Amino acid sequence: MSVSQIRYLNVVELGRGALQKLAAACQEHGIRRPLIVTDKGVRAAGLVDRALAQLAGLEHVAVYDGTPSNPTEAAAREACALARQEGCDGLVAVGGGSPIDCAKAVAILVTHDGPLARYATIEGGSGLITPRVWPLIAVPTTAGTGSEVARGAIVIVQDGRKLGFHAWHLMPKVAVLDPEMTLGLPPLLTAATGMDAIAHCMESYMASAFNPPADGIVLDGLERGWAHIEQATRHGQDVEARTQMLSASMQGALGFQKGLGCVHSLSHSLGGVDPRLHHGTLNAMFLPAVIDFNAQAESVVRDRRLQRMVGAMGLGAQGGAYAAGQALGEAIRAMCQRLGLPSGLAAMGVERSCFERVIDGALADHCHKLNPRLASREDYRRMLEASM
């Protein structure tokens, strides 16, 4: 067994009213002139104004709201230019995974030279990301990516590739998880981001790396997320359901330091081919096929991982890994239908003509080799076809 490195590093403020901790978090980490990184939708919803009200006592606050639905290097460079113009000294991300990941890219670019791709994980750039990065406080407005407690970011770089950036220095110093910041999230976005959180919990639990704390965290997160996603989607003002989904999202990201796998290698790649596609929805579409593929993985069978997820989701007793995998796939498809999510990739407008490009990207993705069973080109083609 190889040696496992286990780290849990940042402060999490979780609960109703946590936003009141925002100014103190900035001051604790020497941020006097923050740049808020967000998007136009979050700003239009009034959530940036709520953050600004909490930061009124600071010296100066600037706002960048140009983050696209899939963060890009171009957007991060625009934000850097604004930060320099406004004399900023740190970052506050307000939004879902896109603004938080965009802020992480800003943290790199404002303090490090060269193209962003130089610092990508698959380019061997993680070690080039130094403690010079600007401090970041994250305020999620969705319950999905968990980027507020993660060391990584996914960004589309200048050459069009969708790459991962991973370094402990990128982890937000403080994550402010206030369910009131998620109450206005529309039902379909609540469902899609919620399934993203569930995918993180399930896929990291299947990963074969030895990390018992992560396993415990994500199995509990899966139970919370599965039990509350429908209530949060249908009754968006339910603070308890929103709190539980924020916790599930955070727990999924705490756990995926252990690793992810084929779900994410496929969704990262397809999201790069067509940036209009929502990452969390793609994860939901790929989960059944990847679970079916992983049902034959030695570590998954040995540790009864699929059966344990069946138990956490309250699906009833199942037999072996194959039966549990079938039950999980059926439950995920049924949940997507109840939540109003697409029935498959075809319903999202994906065409088979892009499969080879998606497979190329999946094989090169940083999550590819972390799957408990190594996928071939043909395996990926079958997963794509099964997800249509």
Side-chain angles (χ1 to χ4, degrees), residues 146-379:
S147 189
E148 68 275 3
V149 294
R151 72 189 190 280
I154 305 297
V155 182
I156 298 173
V157 298
Q158 299 289 44
D159 63 13
R161 290 180 295 165
K162 192 171 189 178
L163 301 183
F165 300 80
H166 298 83
W168 294 109
H169 305 304
L170 292 178
M171 181 177 284
K173 300 297 185 185
V174 180
V176 179
L177 278 62
D178 191 329
E180 293 187 343
M181 295 291 281
T182 70
L183 295 181
L185 197 65
L188 277 179
L189 198 52
T190 298
T193 55
M195 286 305 298
D196 193 17
I198 286 168
H200 291 157
C201 291
M202 297 184 80
E203 190 165 34
S204 58
Y205 188 66
M206 288 185 286
S208 55
F210 184 70
N211 191 326
D215 285 341
I217 289 167
V218 297
L219 202 59
D220 180 82
L222 173 59
E223 182 174 359
R224 292 175 191 276
W226 192 259
H228 292 92
I229 187 170
E230 288 185 84
Q231 179 69 8
T233 299
R234 293 180 179 145
H235 304 281
Q237 297 299 308
D238 187 323
V239 174
E240 175 63 18
R242 293 291 195 181
T243 302
Q244 295 292 342
M245 292 308 300
L246 274 173
S247 185
S249 175
M250 177 261 295
Q251 289 174 253
L254 287 175
F256 67 48
Q257 64 168 269
K258 180 189 172 195
L260 290 166
C262 291
V263 170
H264 279 75
S265 55
L266 284 166
S267 61
H268 289 158
S269 180
L270 182 49
V273 170
D274 187 350
R276 298 170 300 175
L277 299 174
H278 186 269
H279 174 72
T281 307
L282 288 176
N283 283 346
M285 300 301 101
F286 286 129
L287 260 176
V290 174
I291 289 171
D292 183 65
F293 177 71
N294 286 346
Q296 298 179 53
E298 179 183 355
S299 62
V300 169
V301 174
R302 181 191 65 228
D303 297 333
R304 295 180 54 81
R305 294 192 178 272
L306 301 188
Q307 294 95 319
R308 290 177 179 178
M309 289 194 293
V310 164
M313 295 160 67
L315 302 181
Q318 301 293 330
Y322 177 78
Q326 292 293 108
L328 291 169
E330 291 170 6
I332 291 163
R333 292 187 188 97
M335 178 66 82
C336 288
Q337 182 178 25
R338 294 198 299 274
L339 295 174
L341 293 175
S343 58
L345 297 178
M348 297 177 70
V350 176
E351 297 181 355
R352 290 176 174 84
S353 59
C354 75
F355 277 12
E356 297 310 311
R357 288 176 62 198
V358 173
I359 294 168
D360 287 342
L363 288 167
D365 189 76
H366 63 275
C367 292
H368 166 64
K369 292 183 180 180
L370 301 178
N371 200 69
R373 181 183 175 203
L374 193 62
S376 67
R377 191 173 194 89
E378 186 55 37
D379 291 327

